[in-house]
Amino acid sequence: MLGSVTWDEALVQRYGQFGQLHCSYPAAVDFSDRVAPLDLLRALRESRRGGRPLSLSIHQPDGAGLQPEAAAAYLQRLEREIEQLGCHAGPLQAVEQLRLSVGTLGIEALRRLLNQLKRRFAFVEPHAGSFLAEVELAHVDWPLIGALHELGFNQLSVAVPDLRADDGGTVEYFRSSARIRAVIEAAHALHYRSVNLDLGYGRSWQTPSSFARKLASIIELAPDQITMFDYRDAVPAGVGRLGLASPADTLAMYRHGVEQLSAAGYRYIGLGKFVLPHDDLAMAQEIGALHHDLCGYSLHGDCDHLGFGVGAVSRVGGLFCQNADRVPAYQRALDQGQLPCVRGLHANHIDPLHRLLLERLLCTFALDFDALSLQSGVDVRQRYAQHWPALRQLHADGVIVLDDSGLRVPAQARLLVAAVCAAFEQPGAVTIGHSAGNTARR
């Protein structure tokens, strides 16, 4: 049954090193084309002519809002970008999905930003769309949750930090479930459709027992979604691994999380996301309507996506583009009256079959080769002929069940779907030796 997952120690030890980087196509590391603002405007023209629905995301840079002047300057540039792109959206292009990183924006700044969005874009009614606000535990309270609800948000995602008292960070670290309880109670009282908690594991001051206790206290609060992530995946490339737990302790925390959440009745959607059976994502997965896009798992796979802010990624038709990932460059482009997009991929450099195949794996844990060939116009068996030895190895090890018609990932291997994605990315990846318990990205 979809949603069920079990822990297989031997398989995790062998294939647990494949991270989520293998699951995204195209990923930011693939963005090798120079994409000019005119390219994006042309793609938007085609989107407008086709009347395609829209998805939006608003990004905050790291540290934005800590200094009031910097926050005001960044908000001003966001409004300019919204103005420049919004005027190219058609009146029939309804926004079905919005994801907003709140950061330390105050209520008045949020109202100003949402008013700007609603002046430029037509939104569906809240009951028909997915409007998610991402908040930080240290910066959220009842008034903020109420204001976000008034602005039309119907989903809430809360980052649950795990910083030591002497870590030197400014974000309040986890002491008890009291603050999280207040957030969830506020969201439920205001009838938010779902509440997600982001929960990291693998810091050096965490232990398997302390993580298990923390997770148990969170499960008692019954958030609709819990997204577990390995802190190793959050460390940028080239940054030292200080502050991280040993691979053995990290693996033990991961196992505690999987087993505790499964025992509590959560269903496994994929990529670390567990949801209660009533959640929209669980129901969409059951009927084959789940998608995976630039915002993660989604109900709105037919939307073109516009990302606003530093480093934001947009996908319009077959064009992918990314904004400048440094605040000065992002703001300088907008000050010069230009859109800040700098890189990406043009449609003729993207493999649509590969994109479709990875999305089906992530959403259904199965592939129907004939259906994929019919939908893409490309013979799947021929396109991936050189990958067959790796797939047969996965079949022999119990990671997949492979036959002539397709493949499926059984419950005991669904935590390892990244290894299956990697087999389609790099034919020899799954046969490369690795150290047991290493769950870091490569």
Side-chain angles (χ1 to χ4, degrees):
M1 180 182 74
L2 280 174
S4 62
V5 64
T6 57
W7 182 272
D8 186 307
E9 183 72 20
L11 287 181
V12 173
Q13 289 282 353
R14 180 161 187 179
Y15 290 103
Q17 92 281 11
F18 293 99
Q20 294 183 18
L21 182 63
H22 295 284
C23 300
S24 299
Y25 175 80
V29 295
D30 301 314
F31 293 166
S32 56
D33 292 345
R34 170 69 183 175
V35 175
L38 185 58
D39 297 318
L40 178 57
L41 295 181
R42 285 171 176 161
L44 279 170
R45 180 182 61 193
E46 296 305 312
S47 179
R48 182 175 67 251
R49 287 175 175 172
R52 295 197 293 267
L54 296 174
S55 164
L56 311 178
S57 62
I58 312 292
H59 294 243
Q60 300 287 342
D62 292 338
L66 296 179
Q67 299 295 328
E69 291 184 4
Y74 185 74
L75 180 61
Q76 183 182 48
R77 279 23 174 255
L78 271 178
E79 291 175 338
R80 288 182 189 173
E81 189 181 10
I82 291 167
E83 184 71 21
Q84 289 192 21
L85 286 179
C87 66
H88 293 277
L92 301 180
Q93 291 187 274
V95 175
E96 297 181 358
Q97 180 173 253
L98 170 64
R99 187 165 190 156
L100 168 67
S101 172
V102 175
T104 55
L105 288 175
I107 291 174
E108 289 308 312
L110 286 168
R111 286 184 176 139
R112 173 178 156 184
L113 185 61
L114 265 294
N115 285 337
Q116 174 78 355
L117 282 171
K118 290 175 180 179
R119 279 197 298 269
R120 276 302 180 187
F121 295 94
F123 283 72
V124 300
E125 292 298 317
H127 67 85
S130 300
F131 305 127
L132 173 71
E134 299 174 331
V135 298
E136 297 174 359
L137 189 60
H139 302 130
V140 63
D141 52 22
W142 268 84
L144 177 62
I145 295 172
L148 289 168
H149 184 260
E150 290 175 4
L151 291 169
F153 287 93
N154 53 23
Q155 299 175 12
L156 199 66
S157 183
V158 187
V160 182
D162 204 316
L163 305 182
R164 281 190 309 196
D166 60 349
D167 185 65
T170 58
V171 178
E172 177 181 321
Y173 63 98
F174 183 86
R175 289 181 181 271
S176 72
S177 61
R179 191 173 182 89
I180 299 174
R181 183 184 298 277
V183 170
I184 293 176
E185 288 178 350
H188 287 166
L190 293 169
H191 304 292
Y192 276 77
R193 198 158 70 214
S194 72
V195 179
N196 171 73
L197 297 186
D198 284 338
L199 182 63
Y201 61 91
R203 299 308 292 258
S204 59
W205 50 88
Q206 290 176 309
T207 66
S209 58
S210 72
F211 178 78
R213 289 194 301 270
K214 175 179 178 178
L215 181 57
S217 69
I218 288 173
I219 288 173
E220 286 182 6
L221 306 177
D224 306 278
Q225 305 177 5
I226 295 177
T227 305
M228 289 205 314
F229 67 93
D230 187 340
Y231 276 114
R232 283 171 169 76
D233 288 349
V235 177
V239 176
R241 297 294 190 176
L242 296 177
L244 297 176
S246 69
D249 279 354
T250 299
L251 194 63
M253 293 179 215
Y254 184 26
R255 179 171 187 165
H256 279 309
V258 171
E259 293 180 343
Q260 285 182 260
L261 289 168
S262 297
Y266 282 83
R267 303 185 62 180
Y268 186 64
I269 295 297
L271 301 182
K273 182 170 284 293
F274 293 81
V275 305
L276 289 174
H278 68 257
D279 189 82
D280 288 346
L281 295 181
M283 293 187 283
Q285 190 176 56
E286 278 295 319
I287 64 173
L290 186 64
H291 298 274
H292 190 270
D293 63 11
L294 295 172
C295 290
Y297 285 106
S298 168
L299 308 179
H300 307 279
D302 58 343
C303 292
D304 282 337
H305 180 79
L306 294 176
F308 299 91
V310 62
V313 177
S314 298
R315 180 193 58 77
V316 183
L319 176 73
F320 284 76
C321 63
Q322 183 177 28
N323 284 348
D325 55 10
R326 303 281 183 173
V327 173
Y330 168 79
Q331 297 189 156
R332 185 166 55 250
L334 289 162
D335 289 345
Q336 294 171 352
Q338 296 292 321
L339 289 171
C341 56
V342 293
R343 67 182 69 85
L345 278 178
H346 293 282
N348 59 346
H349 291 163
I350 293 172
D351 183 345
L353 169 60
H354 194 61
R355 183 168 159 235
L356 177 63
L357 181 146
L358 292 185
E359 185 189 41
R360 290 299 85 205
L361 265 178
L362 295 179
C363 295
T364 69
F365 297 108
L367 296 176
D368 181 325
F369 295 151
D370 289 334
L372 284 169
S373 298
L374 182 63
Q375 188 171 352
S376 65
V378 178
D379 187 284
V380 172
R381 298 170 186 83
Q382 182 178 349
R383 163 67 175 79
Y384 292 101
Q386 63 176 325
H387 300 250
W388 240 247
L391 294 173
R392 290 194 186 101
Q393 182 65 54
L394 290 172
H395 173 78
D397 290 342
V399 178
I400 62 174
V401 177
L402 177 68
D403 58 33
D404 289 339
S405 64
L407 66 82
R408 62 180 178 85
V409 183
Q412 71 270 18
R414 286 176 182 161
L415 297 171
L416 307 171
V417 69
V420 186
C421 294
F424 284 98
E425 291 271 356
Q426 308 166 24
V430 298
T431 62
I432 297 173
H434 53 270
S435 58
N438 177 17
T439 58
R441 279 188 194 176
R442 290 191 172 181

